[in-house]
């Protein structure tokens, strides 16, 4: 029965891939300097797309310039796509300034948008995760705390985790390096780097 099921699923997947490819080829624009974005969901959505081949400006069908941001060595754009549909956007190669990195603010690192606010302390612990819409603080104590324990099971060492494992916690240092990879209106990335023995 497994052999029959795998064969049937393989045929279904292959057929779906062919239909998807045909649909995409019928809807993408053949104009140079354009990108077509598809939305398979049943509602309009905004999406972050990555720009390639040196393009760094994006325009919608009305000629409006869309938001573009540097993220390290990549450039991303924020686009709106209709439900169960697609939309093409015009690309340009223009000069744009790199996003400036920022440092810590009052011994805290903050990731925030219109929905949530996440605050990390100087140890890299998540000390606040606030839902703005609900007016709700999700944390009662620091989160993002890395813990490690000795694994010394009495039997079946391939899969058992014995109930006393928490009594064998390995002491870890709070020292860490924290920095913003990039900061922008579309995305912001915060990196927390720790050392555990010889591993990072």
């Amino acid at each position: 029965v497994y052999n029959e099921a795998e064969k049937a699923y393989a045929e279904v997947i292959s057929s779906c891939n062919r239909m998807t490819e045909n649909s995409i080829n019928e809807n993408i624009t053949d104009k140079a300097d354009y990108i077509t974005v598809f939305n398979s969901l049943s509602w309009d959505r905004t999406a972050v797309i990555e720009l390639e081949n040196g393009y760094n400006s994006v325009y919608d069908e009305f000629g409006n310039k869309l938001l573009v941001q540097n993220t390290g060595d990549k450039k991303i754009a924020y686009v709106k796509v209709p439900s169960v549909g697609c939309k093409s956007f015009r690309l340009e190669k223009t000069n744009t300034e790199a996003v400036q990195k920022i440092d810590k603010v009052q011994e805290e690192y903050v990731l925030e948008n219109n929905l949530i606010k996440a605050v990390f302390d100087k140890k890299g612990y998540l000390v606040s995760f606030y839902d703005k819409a609900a007016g709700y603080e999700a944390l009662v104590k620091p989160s993002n705390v890395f813990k490690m324990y000795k694994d010394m099971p009495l039997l079946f060492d391939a899969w058992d985790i014995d109930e006393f494992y928490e009594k064998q916690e390995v002491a870890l240092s709070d020292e860490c390096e924290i920095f913003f990879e990039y900061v922008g209106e579309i995305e912001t990335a915060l990196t927390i780097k720790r050392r555990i023995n010889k591993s990072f």
Side-chain angles (χ1 to χ4, degrees):
V1 68
Y2 291 113
N3 291 334
E4 292 181 10
E6 287 177 359
K7 182 180 179 181
Y9 279 127
E11 292 174 355
V12 170
I13 292 171
S14 177
S15 175
C16 288
N17 286 339
R18 286 195 302 271
M19 287 189 290
T20 300
E21 186 174 350
N22 290 337
S23 177
I24 289 174
N25 290 334
E26 288 179 5
N27 286 283
I28 59 174
T29 177
D30 57 356
K31 297 179 181 178
D33 300 330
Y34 274 78
I35 186 173
T36 302
V37 183
F38 289 80
N39 176 17
S40 62
L41 304 177
S42 57
W43 57 86
D44 296 350
R45 64 171 296 194
T46 54
V48 176
I49 62 171
E50 182 179 332
L51 307 184
E52 298 179 352
N53 302 322
Y55 292 106
N56 48 27
S57 292
V58 183
Y59 298 84
D60 65 13
E61 68 271 33
F62 304 109
N64 299 315
K65 189 173 183 178
L66 306 181
L67 188 60
V68 174
Q69 177 194 328
N70 290 350
T71 58
D73 58 348
K74 300 177 182 177
K75 283 185 170 57
I76 58 175
Y78 202 53
V79 299
K80 294 183 178 180
V81 191
S83 65
V84 196
C86 61
K87 184 182 286 190
S88 295
F89 301 89
R90 183 170 60 86
L91 307 177
E92 278 189 4
K93 296 179 180 180
T94 57
N95 294 324
T96 57
E97 295 182 359
V99 176
Q100 184 179 1
K101 292 184 179 179
I102 63 173
D103 296 318
K104 60 184 177 181
V105 179
Q106 298 178 352
E107 299 299 321
E108 290 183 340
Y109 298 81
V110 179
L111 297 175
E112 183 175 12
N113 60 22
N114 60 322
L115 300 175
I116 61 168
K117 180 179 180 180
V119 180
F120 296 81
D121 65 12
K122 60 184 179 180
K123 295 180 180 180
Y125 299 149
L126 182 63
V127 294
S128 175
F129 192 85
Y130 186 72
D131 185 325
K132 294 181 178 181
Y136 174 70
E137 172 59 55
L139 299 181
V140 294
K141 62 180 181 179
S143 181
N144 196 43
V145 180
F146 192 91
K147 291 184 177 289
M148 189 163 64
Y149 302 90
K150 290 182 180 179
D151 183 19
M152 301 178 66
L154 298 176
L155 295 171
F156 312 115
D157 61 348
W159 52 80
D160 267 13
I161 299 177
D162 292 312
E163 60 184 7
F164 55 81
Y165 80 94
E166 289 183 308
K167 297 179 180 179
Q168 302 187 90
E169 184 173 353
V170 178
L172 301 176
S173 172
D174 283 336
E175 294 183 6
C176 66
E177 179 185 357
I178 310 176
F179 57 93
F180 284 94
E181 292 277 359
Y182 50 84
V183 177
E185 295 181 68
I186 299 176
E187 288 184 357
T188 296
L190 180 70
T191 293
I192 301 169
K193 186 176 182 180
R194 298 186 182 282
R195 180 169 185 162
I196 301 173
N197 296 329
K198 295 182 180 180
S199 300
F200 286 95

